[in-house]
């Protein structure tokens, strides 16, 4: 059975424009065409289209989907299993809200007035996530909708809190290990998406109810951030002389809070494949350069040592939302900015 593009769009809920785009970028080309040149899709095209639609639901950009489809280790059964897991997360989230509503219903039917906290917690669950994430994005955040993931985070929060209560410094080896574990887990549980992390960070900062429910308050986050920073500083040590290391220690955390939003913005430009010479990308590159120089200094020889550190010490990428693909994407814009700084443009 052959389907014209309009029929396929109607049956799948996609738009003709979307299918045209998939064809133009080589993501999904029709198996046949009519003598007049109209696209015709057949049964064999459906498995590939299912993969594409599923991976889009998982939040992958089209460039990464193309790479995944080119791989031989992407069985459709595995994708369907992930879809089922995603639906299970949705059901679990809905089930928790339903349980809370049933408690309220029972209290009201018995003529009881629910406590104010009960009302507020229920309404918070109904609306809070919607302020920061789409429903699709919530499904990509296990910490918000998966009971097992939530339990893991509660255990990790308790371990960090216990260490803080002993009076341990954020620079201690145990704190550094916990800080790294925290960030690695955070990357995993946000699907390695810096935009989701940036909004999750904003939600925790602006929602007292979220802080109370998770135990992740501003004090704990400062401790984790400082511990993770200390672990990065320690990894740079073998590559720097004493003066360079002292400068790093004094300045590494000074502008650290600006990195999440910047990385998220670069990821958004990467997903859209905005050209490197676009003014918006160049502005991001200038900001990236400024933040890098805030702790690495402006000496080219010292900056080279930092780059060598990243090449030779893979642990520097642990817990980071910066990927090799992201660095490669930004590199041309960084080169342009470097030329600007030398007055050669």
């Amino acid at each position: 059975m052959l389907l014209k593009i309009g029929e396929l769009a109607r049956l799948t809920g996609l738009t003709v424009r979307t299918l045209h785009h998939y064809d133009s970028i080589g993501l999904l080309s029709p198996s046949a065409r009519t003598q007049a040149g109209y696209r015709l899709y057949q049964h064999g095209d459906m498995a590939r289209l299912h993969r594409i639609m599923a991976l889009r639901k998982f939040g992958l950009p089209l460039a990464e989907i193309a790479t995944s489809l080119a791989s031989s280790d992407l069985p459709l059964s595995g994708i369907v299993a992930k879809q089922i897991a995603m639906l299970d997360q949705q059901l679990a989230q809905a089930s928790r809200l339903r349980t809370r509503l049933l408690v309220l219903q029972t209290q009201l039917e018995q003529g009881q007035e629910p406590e104010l906290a009960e009302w507020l917690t229920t309404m918070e669950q109904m609306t809070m996530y919607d302020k920061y994430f789409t429903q699709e994005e919530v499904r990509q955040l296990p910490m918000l909708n998966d009971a097992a993931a939530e339990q893991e985070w509660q255990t990790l929060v308790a371990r960090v809190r216990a260490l803080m209560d002993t009076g341990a410094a954020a620079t201690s080896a145990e704190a550094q290990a916990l800080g790294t574990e925290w960030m690695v887990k955070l990357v995993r549980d946000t699907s390695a998406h810096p935009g989701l992390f940036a909004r999750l960070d904003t939600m925790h900062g602006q929602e007292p109810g979220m802080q109370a429910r998770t135990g992740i308050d501003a004090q704990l986050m400062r401790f984790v951030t400082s511990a993770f920073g200390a672990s990065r500083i320690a990894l740079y040590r073998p590559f720097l002389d004493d003066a360079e290391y002292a400068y790093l220690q004094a300045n590494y955390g000074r502008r650290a809070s600006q990195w999440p939003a910047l990385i998220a913005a670069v990821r958004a430009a990467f997903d859209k494949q905005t050209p490197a010479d676009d003014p918006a990308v160049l502005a991001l590159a200038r900001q990236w350069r400024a933040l890098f120089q805030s702790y690495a200094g402006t000496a080219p020889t010292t900056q080279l040592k930092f780059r060598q550190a990243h090449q030779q010490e893979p642990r520097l990428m642990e817990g980071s939302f910066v990927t090799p693909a992201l660095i490669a994407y930004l590199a041309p814009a960084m080169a342009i900015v470097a030329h600007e700084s030398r007055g050669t443009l």
Side-chain angles (χ1 to χ4, degrees), residues 102-114:
L102 284 173
V103 171
L104 289 179
Q105 181 186 37
T106 300
Q107 290 176 329
L108 292 169
E109 288 177 345
Q110 293 176 351
Q112 301 174 11
E113 181 65 25

Side-chain angles (χ1 to χ4, degrees), residues 311-324:
Q311 292 171 359
Q312 299 176 31
E313 179 49 85
R315 288 178 295 173
L316 281 167
M317 298 299 288
E318 291 181 348
S320 169
F321 289 88
V322 180
T323 64

Side-chain angles (χ1 to χ4, degrees), residues 217-231:
D217 57 20
Q219 181 187 22
L220 185 139
M221 278 309 305
R222 282 194 299 270
F223 184 84
V224 169
T225 301
S226 297
F228 182 68
S231 72

Side-chain angles (χ1 to χ4, degrees), residues 143-185:
M143 63 182 67
L144 300 184
N145 54 49
D146 181 83
E150 287 184 31
Q151 182 58 53
E152 288 181 11
W153 276 101
Q154 289 174 11
T155 301
L156 182 55
V157 169
R159 289 168 58 201
V160 173
R161 184 70 67 184
L163 182 61
M164 291 173 62
D165 289 344
T166 67
T171 54
S172 67
E174 189 174 357
Q176 291 183 39
L178 277 177
T180 300
E181 181 181 347
W182 183 289
M183 291 305 300
V184 168
K185 185 174 176 57

